[in-house]
Coordinates of all heavy atoms in Angstrom, one line a residue:
N190 N 45.1 79.6 67.9 CA 45.6 79.6 66.4 C 45.0 78.3 65.8 O 44.6 77.3 66.4 CB 47.1 79.5 66.3 CG 47.7 78.3 67.0 OD1 48.2 78.3 68.1 ND2 47.8 77.2 66.2
G191 N 44.8 78.4 64.4 CA 44.4 77.3 63.6 C 45.6 76.3 63.6 O 46.8 76.7 63.5
E192 N 45.3 75.0 63.6 CA 46.3 74.0 63.6 C 46.5 73.4 62.2 O 45.9 73.8 61.2 CB 46.0 72.9 64.6 CG 46.6 73.1 66.0 CD 48.1 73.3 65.9 OE1 48.8 72.7 65.0 OE2 48.7 74.1 66.7
V193 N 47.5 72.5 62.1 CA 48.0 71.9 60.8 C 46.9 71.2 60.1 O 46.7 71.3 58.8 CB 49.2 71.0 61.1 CG1 49.7 70.4 59.7 CG2 50.3 71.9 61.7
M194 N 46.1 70.4 60.8 CA 45.0 69.7 60.1 C 43.8 70.6 60.1 O 43.4 71.2 61.1 CB 44.6 68.4 60.9 CG 43.6 67.5 60.2 SD 43.2 66.0 61.1 CE 41.8 66.7 62.1
P195 N 43.1 70.7 58.9 CA 41.9 71.6 58.9 C 40.8 71.1 59.8 O 40.5 69.9 59.9 CB 41.5 71.4 57.4 CG 42.1 70.2 56.9 CD 43.4 70.0 57.7
G196 N 40.1 72.0 60.4 CA 39.1 71.7 61.4 C 39.7 71.5 62.8 O 39.0 71.2 63.8
Q197 N 41.0 71.7 62.9 CA 41.7 71.5 64.2 C 42.2 72.9 64.7 O 42.8 73.6 63.8 CB 42.9 70.5 64.1 CG 43.4 69.9 65.3 CD 44.4 68.8 65.1 OE1 45.5 69.1 64.8 NE2 43.9 67.6 65.1
W198 N 42.1 73.1 66.0 CA 42.5 74.4 66.5 C 43.3 74.2 67.8 O 43.3 73.1 68.3 CB 41.3 75.3 66.8 CG 40.5 75.7 65.5 CD1 39.6 74.9 64.8 CD2 40.7 76.9 64.8 NE1 39.2 75.7 63.7 CE2 39.8 76.9 63.7 CE3 41.4 78.1 65.1 CZ2 39.7 78.0 62.8 CZ3 41.2 79.1 64.2 CH2 40.4 79.1 63.1
E199 N 43.8 75.3 68.3 CA 44.5 75.2 69.6 C 44.3 76.5 70.4 O 44.1 77.6 69.8 CB 46.0 75.2 69.3 CG 46.9 75.3 70.6 CD 48.4 75.3 70.2 OE1 48.9 74.2 69.6 OE2 49.1 76.3 70.5
F200 N 44.2 76.3 71.7 CA 44.2 77.4 72.6 C 45.2 77.2 73.7 O 45.6 76.1 74.0 CB 42.8 77.8 73.2 CG 42.3 76.7 74.2 CD1 42.6 76.7 75.5 CD2 41.4 75.7 73.7 CE1 42.1 75.8 76.4 CE2 40.9 74.8 74.5 CZ 41.2 74.8 75.9
Q201 N 45.8 78.3 74.2 CA 46.8 78.2 75.2 C 46.3 78.8 76.5 O 45.8 79.9 76.5 CB 48.1 78.9 74.8 CG 48.7 78.4 73.4 CD 48.2 79.2 72.3 OE1 48.1 80.4 72.3 NE2 48.1 78.6 71.1
V202 N 46.6 78.1 77.6 CA 46.2 78.6 79.0 C 47.5 78.6 79.8 O 48.2 77.7 80.0 CB 45.2 77.6 79.6 CG1 45.0 78.0 81.1 CG2 43.8 77.7 78.9
G203 N 47.8 79.9 80.3 CA 49.0 80.1 81.1 C 49.6 81.4 80.8 O 49.2 82.1 79.9
P204 N 50.7 81.8 81.6 CA 51.2 80.9 82.7 C 50.3 80.9 83.9 O 49.7 81.9 84.2 CB 52.5 81.6 83.0 CG 52.3 83.1 82.5 CD 51.4 83.0 81.4
C205 N 50.2 79.7 84.4 CA 49.4 79.5 85.7 C 50.4 78.8 86.7 O 51.2 78.0 86.2 CB 48.2 78.6 85.4 SG 47.0 79.2 84.3
V206 N 50.2 79.0 87.9 CA 51.0 78.5 89.0 C 50.3 77.2 89.6 O 49.2 77.3 89.9 CB 51.3 79.5 90.1 CG1 52.2 78.8 91.2 CG2 52.0 80.7 89.5
G207 N 51.1 76.1 89.6 CA 50.7 74.9 90.3 C 49.3 74.4 89.9 O 49.0 74.2 88.7
I208 N 48.5 74.1 90.9 CA 47.2 73.5 90.7 C 46.3 74.3 89.9 O 45.3 73.7 89.2 CB 46.6 73.2 92.1 CG1 45.4 72.2 92.0 CG2 46.1 74.5 92.8 CD1 45.8 70.8 91.7
Y209 N 46.4 75.6 89.8 CA 45.5 76.4 89.1 C 45.6 76.2 87.5 O 44.7 76.6 86.8 CB 45.7 77.9 89.4 CG 45.3 78.1 90.9 CD1 46.3 78.4 91.8 CD2 44.0 78.0 91.3 CE1 45.9 78.6 93.2 CE2 43.7 78.1 92.6 CZ 44.6 78.4 93.5 OH 44.3 78.6 94.9
S210 N 46.7 75.6 87.1 CA 46.8 75.3 85.7 C 45.8 74.2 85.3 O 45.1 74.4 84.3 CB 48.2 74.7 85.4 OG 48.3 74.3 84.0
G211 N 45.6 73.2 86.2 CA 44.6 72.2 85.9 C 43.2 72.8 86.1 O 42.3 72.5 85.2
D212 N 42.9 73.6 87.0 CA 41.6 74.2 87.2 C 41.2 75.1 86.0 O 40.1 75.0 85.5 CB 41.6 75.1 88.5 CG 41.6 74.4 89.8 OD1 41.3 73.2 89.8 OD2 41.9 75.0 90.8
Q213 N 42.1 75.9 85.5 CA 41.9 76.7 84.4 C 41.7 76.0 83.1 O 40.8 76.3 82.3 CB 42.9 77.9 84.3 CG 42.9 78.8 85.5 CD 43.5 80.2 85.1 OE1 43.6 80.6 84.0 NE2 43.8 80.9 86.1
L214 N 42.5 75.0 82.9 CA 42.4 74.3 81.6 C 41.1 73.5 81.6 O 40.4 73.5 80.6 CB 43.5 73.3 81.4 CG 43.5 72.7 80.0 CD1 43.9 73.7 78.9 CD2 44.4 71.4 79.9
W215 N 40.7 72.8 82.7 CA 39.4 72.1 82.7 C 38.3 73.1 82.5 O 37.3 72.7 81.8 CB 39.3 71.4 84.1 CG 39.9 70.0 84.0 CD1 40.9 69.5 84.8 CD2 39.5 68.9 83.2 NE1 41.2 68.2 84.5 CE2 40.3 67.8 83.5 CE3 38.5 68.7 82.2 CZ2 40.2 66.5 82.9 CZ3 38.3 67.5 81.6 CH2 39.2 66.4 82.0
M216 N 38.3 74.2 83.1 CA 37.1 75.2 82.9 C 37.2 75.7 81.5 O 36.1 75.9 80.9 CB 37.2 76.3 83.9 CG 36.0 77.2 83.9 SD 34.4 76.2 84.2 CE 34.5 75.8 86.0
A217 N 38.4 75.9 80.9 CA 38.4 76.3 79.5 C 37.8 75.2 78.5 O 37.1 75.5 77.6 CB 39.8 76.6 79.1
R218 N 38.0 74.0 78.9 CA 37.5 72.9 78.2 C 36.0 72.9 78.3 O 35.2 72.7 77.3 CB 38.0 71.5 78.7 CG 39.4 71.2 78.2 CD 40.0 69.9 78.9 NE 41.2 69.4 78.3 CZ 41.8 68.4 78.7 NH1 41.4 67.7 79.8 NH2 43.0 68.0 78.2

Side-chain angles (χ1 to χ4, degrees):
N190 61 267
E192 265 306 325
V193 177
M194 189 182 87
Q197 196 173 83
W198 293 81
E199 173 184 300
F200 66 88
Q201 303 95 34
V202 170
C205 299
V206 179
I208 195 72
Y209 295 109
S210 178
D212 288 343
Q213 293 207 17
L214 188 72
W215 272 117
M216 190 56 74
R218 285 174 170 178

